[in-house]
Amino acid sequence: MRELGYRPDALIEVLHTAQEAFGYLDAQALAYVGDRLGVPQSKAYGVATFYSYFTLEPEASHSCVVCTGTACYLDGAGALVSAVAGLLAARGQEAAPDRWLSLEEVRCLGPCSMAPVAVVDHEVHGKLTPPGLVSVVESL
Amino acid sequence: MSAQIGPQVITSRFGLSESWTLRAYLGSGGYEGLRKALTMAPEDVHKATLDSSILGRGGAGFDAGRKWGMLRKAEPVYLVVNGDESEPATFKDHALIEADPHQLIEGALICAYAIRAARVFIYVRGEMALGLERLQSALNEAYEYGAVGANIFGSGFSVDVVAHPGAGAYICGEETALLESLEGKRGYPRIKPPYYPAAIGLYGAPTVVNNVETLSNLPFVVRNGSEAFHALGEGASRGTKMMALSGHVRRPGNYELTFADVTFRELIYDPALGGGVREDRALKAFIPGGVSAPWFGPQHLDIPLANEKIAEAGSMAGSGAVTVMDETACAVRAAWRISRFFHRESCGQCTPCREGSGWVDKVMRRIEDGNGREADLDLLMDICDNISPGVRWPPAQTTICVLGPSIPSSVASGIRMFKDEFLEHIRLGGCPFPPDRLRASLAHA
Ligand SMILES: Cc1cc2nc3c(=O)[nH]c(=O)nc-3n(C[C@H](O)[C@H](O)[C@H](O)COP(=O)(O)O)c2cc1C
Ligand code: SF4
Ligand code: FES
């Protein structure tokens, strides 16, 4: 915040930094950031919930994000989701609070020519098959 | 059949080793355009851009030189580079930023010089981690080299360039939402008028917003002259276009093609381009210009890739994203996914867009799930009519931005082109297409 001069219009950059440091943005973090930048807490919350990059809850230890954008969808993204969901169900870890893996669907990630695409712990994997993705996830 | 794959204006460095570094850039004519521009009067750089008639490559196709000419006479002036690129199946700016960030910086500086910008902001989609990294290190190199910052190449012209990561919101690609986002706010598109950021833009100052690909053309224009650029293409569509080809083709990817030289048939089937439909299946439909565009069928394959030709045929070139569906693709499912995307990305300010997209999503899903009824087709068209009266093309707009009016395109295309398929879902009580690609996703969504 110091670097950015405590300017209210630096809110998004500061939230970026806070999330990178803490993994997620809880009420305390939002209150602190809002206070220091002179932004009402409601606005900090509004911005944090508007952008899908920000999360208000702690994350699982690992993440698997499957793209279900148009190109990936046509190329079998659904089967990828079901394969990982099946794996989670088999491990009984679907909804435990201390989760091992979060499974998410997102719209287009950008590398559509590599469809279907998934991002496992920030690493992009393209031209995936369901067994291929399962083995990536299992090796975590 | 062999397509003319034209001179490569913006992808000439794509194959070079470490093409994103200053070393590779300087070794291939890098920053010569900027050096030359700085010896010209800003008005002459502007004139060269006008003479080359570069239509904006971000979707709306507005003439770049004309846009710069609309700036309100006031200071400061800002240049904002739109690299938010978040539309499904659009991935050209992404490639340009990753493979050739210096070209973008040089293009942005040429524009900044022509419009005498006080500062340049490059807004990059937050998910483009590698692109952001390369852009930032290219900026550092450019500062050190003297191409950015104070007294550029000893010319007396100074400008700072800042890279700004987005935070995951498609709507921030809309230029006024992008400005709001840059100001640290929620990405809510601004109410028009004022129609153009050129009048009231970032922090209320006159602002040019241009797309990454648009600006990446400028080094070529200045180096080789506007005639060389204008000689490519025909009619209103000059220069080249990056086509992002995806879906059921053998060779999906980015292809830079001279405007009007190539037809959709060549783009999809030429062995050097799309390489044909996968597994030699029949082509069912294709989306010619991103998810906002009405779909085309096989009868449209011979339309050349030129903005006005595509518009005449009832769709749009948009940002150049072509998605191909073969005979195994379910039209209901494809249209539903697009509706769902718009529903999730609607910023929520306007009722027709916020509520309409939700209803379209729900009804489309009900049909795909097998719980639809025949009256749903009329219901869908009625909802679409409420979002964009008349459900025509180009669409009527009742909302703050054009995301709303884009919602009906895919649904109306699906119903108009594949009505029987919709009815079959309803009769069968389920989707007649292979389920493997779908069910789990439905359960999870
Ligand atoms: C919903 C929506 C999303 C948009 N997304 C983008 C985008 O990601 N990138 C872009 O350059 N233009 C996007 N645009 C178009 C911009 O509003 C604007 O027209 C463009 O950036 C101007 O640059 P250009 O004239 O160089 O094309 C979008 C428009 C709308 C309505
Ligand atoms: S049309 Fe939709 S996305 Fe655009 S401003 Fe209105 S609610 Fe937001
Ligand atoms: S649709 Fe999946 S990466 Fe674009």
Side-chain angles (χ1 to χ4, degrees):
Chain A
M1 284 190 256
R2 197 175 325 115
E3 217 170 89
L4 295 160
Y6 299 99
R7 291 165 47 148
D9 55 2
L11 178 60
I12 295 175
E13 286 94 325
V14 174
L15 291 177
H16 257 286
T17 315
Q19 178 159 311
E20 267 155 41
F22 304 116
Y24 67 108
L25 301 168
D26 59 9
Q28 211 187 340
L30 287 176
Y32 181 76
V33 168
D35 198 38
R36 298 309 300 267
L37 298 185
V39 169
Q41 233 187 87
S42 58
K43 199 188 150 193
Y45 180 79
V47 166
T49 49
F50 183 86
Y51 294 97
S52 57
Y53 179 84
F54 299 121
T55 162
L56 306 183
E57 280 164 24
E59 296 203 327
S61 337
H62 298 284
S63 70
C64 172
V65 180
V66 179
C67 175
T68 56
T70 318
C72 292
Y73 201 76
L74 289 170
D75 278 329
L80 298 182
V81 176
S82 70
V84 179
L87 181 74
L88 284 179
R91 295 197 177 197
Q93 275 177 330
E94 260 161 317
D98 241 350
R99 290 169 307 157
W100 161 67
L101 179 84
S102 64
L103 171 61
E104 266 178 81
E105 276 181 54
V106 290
R107 59 201 167 81
C108 178
L109 285 163
C112 319
S113 54
M114 286 160 56
V117 173
V119 180
V120 180
D121 281 357
H122 307 289
E123 201 166 312
V124 181
H125 300 266
K127 301 210 189 283
L128 279 166
T129 59
L133 178 59
V134 165
S135 70
V136 173
V137 169
E138 277 184 329
S139 68
L140 289 173
Chain B
M1 170 179 62
S2 179
Q4 289 289 315
I5 303 175
Q8 296 180 322
V9 174
I10 47 179
T11 57
S12 62
R13 295 185 191 81
F14 271 38
L16 297 186
S17 109
E18 310 220 301
S19 59
W20 52 91
T21 59
L22 183 65
R23 199 178 41 77
Y25 195 60
L26 293 178
S28 50
Y31 289 110
E32 277 171 21
L34 177 61
R35 284 181 189 277
K36 183 167 166 195
L38 292 172
T39 65
M40 300 161 64
E43 297 72 34
D44 294 336
V45 178
H46 183 188
K47 184 161 184 307
T49 309
L50 272 171
D51 291 345
S52 44
S53 7
I54 306 181
L55 298 184
R57 310 297 204 231
F62 196 87
D63 186 285
R66 272 186 56 213
K67 183 185 286 190
W68 304 356
M70 287 159 51
L71 280 168
R72 184 165 55 92
K73 299 272 171 286
E75 290 196 355
V77 169
Y78 293 120
L79 169 62
V80 172
V81 183
N82 191 342
D84 189 51
E85 191 175 69
S86 309
E87 187 169 299
T90 308
F91 47 95
K92 55 163 186 99
D93 296 340
H94 182 140
L96 285 166
I97 295 172
E98 279 184 9
D100 205 346
H102 280 289
Q103 177 174 256
L104 171 61
I105 296 170
E106 183 178 357
L109 288 167
I110 291 171
C111 170
Y113 178 69
I115 65 172
R116 298 178 184 83
R119 200 172 255 258
V120 179
F121 298 88
I122 308 184
Y123 190 101
V124 180
R125 178 177 175 186
E127 287 84 352
M128 291 185 196
L130 182 61
L132 270 161
E133 198 181 300
R134 288 194 181 157
L135 180 65
Q136 192 55 58
S137 53
L139 272 175
N140 296 345
E141 286 181 319
Y143 265 101
E144 204 157 302
Y145 178 64
V148 186
N151 191 16
I152 296 173
F153 297 144
S155 66
F157 175 66
S158 306
V159 70
D160 278 315
V161 180
V162 186
H164 180 101
Y170 165 65
I171 194 59
C172 290
E174 198 274 345
E175 55 192 9
T176 60
L178 188 145
L179 298 176
E180 289 286 299
S181 181
L182 269 179
E183 293 178 11
K185 305 179 200 152
R186 275 184 267 190
Y188 277 169
R190 292 179 182 167
I191 293 174
K192 290 102 188 156
Y195 287 99
Y196 301 105
I200 298 184
L202 190 63
Y203 300 111
T207 303
V208 164
V209 182
N210 266 142
N211 170 262
V212 165
E213 182 185 351
T214 311
L215 295 172
S216 294
N217 280 294
L218 295 178
F220 177 96
V221 168
V222 175
R223 223 173 38 214
N224 302 290
S226 47
E227 301 82 38
F229 187 88
H230 197 82
L232 304 170
E234 59 178 53
S237 305
R238 298 293 171 162
T240 64
K241 183 77 200 72
M242 283 273 268
M243 303 301 300
L245 180 64
S246 66
H248 295 151
V249 285
R250 287 211 177 81
R251 293 163 38 87
N254 276 311
Y255 299 98
E256 182 185 2
L257 302 170
T258 303
F259 265 127
D261 246 19
V262 174
T263 61
F264 281 106
R265 186 185 303 283
E266 288 164 320
L267 174 65
I268 294 169
Y269 289 97
D270 192 282
L273 302 171
V277 177
R278 239 173 245 181
E279 291 161 39
D280 285 321
R281 296 202 200 107
L283 177 92
K284 175 169 182 165
F286 60 99
I287 312 179
V291 288
S292 308
W295 300 356
F296 276 167
Q299 71 275 25
H300 295 107
L301 279 171
D302 293 313
I303 296 171
L305 301 173
N307 286 13
E308 61 271 36
K309 294 288 188 312
I310 299 172
E312 273 163 28
S315 189
M316 68 165 180
S319 59
V322 178
T323 303
V324 175
M325 295 181 236
D326 73 18
E327 56 194 333
T328 67
C330 170
V332 177
R333 210 182 291 166
W336 168 54
R337 293 306 293 188
I338 293 172
S339 321
R340 190 169 185 79
F341 168 77
F342 283 126
H343 177 46
R344 289 194 174 166
E345 297 300 329
S346 165
C347 84
Q349 287 188 99
C350 320
T351 311
C353 172
R354 181 187 65 239
E355 303 299 322
S357 61
W359 282 110
V360 170
D361 172 32
K362 285 199 192 87
V363 177
M364 287 297 293
R365 177 172 177 168
R366 161 162 104 196
I367 297 175
E368 173 61 19
D369 259 350
N371 303 321
R373 32 199 112 136
E374 247 170 72
D376 280 352
L377 297 194
D378 289 337
L379 177 61
L380 279 170
M381 290 307 284
D382 189 46
I383 303 170
C384 288
D385 186 66
N386 276 306
I387 300 174
S388 175
V391 199
R392 46 181 171 73
W393 191 261
Q397 185 174 345
T398 59
T399 48
I400 296 175
C401 87
V402 295
L403 187 146
S406 305
I407 298 165
S409 300
S410 52
V411 181
S413 294
I415 294 179
R416 285 172 184 154
M417 293 167 71
F418 303 105
K419 188 167 182 191
D420 289 345
E421 212 171 293
F422 277 69
L423 292 172
E424 204 184 339
H425 278 76
I426 294 164
R427 254 194 319 272
L428 284 174
C431 177
F433 289 88
D436 62 306
R437 299 185 170 175
L438 166 74
R439 288 294 147 203
S441 199
L442 277 178
H444 192 78

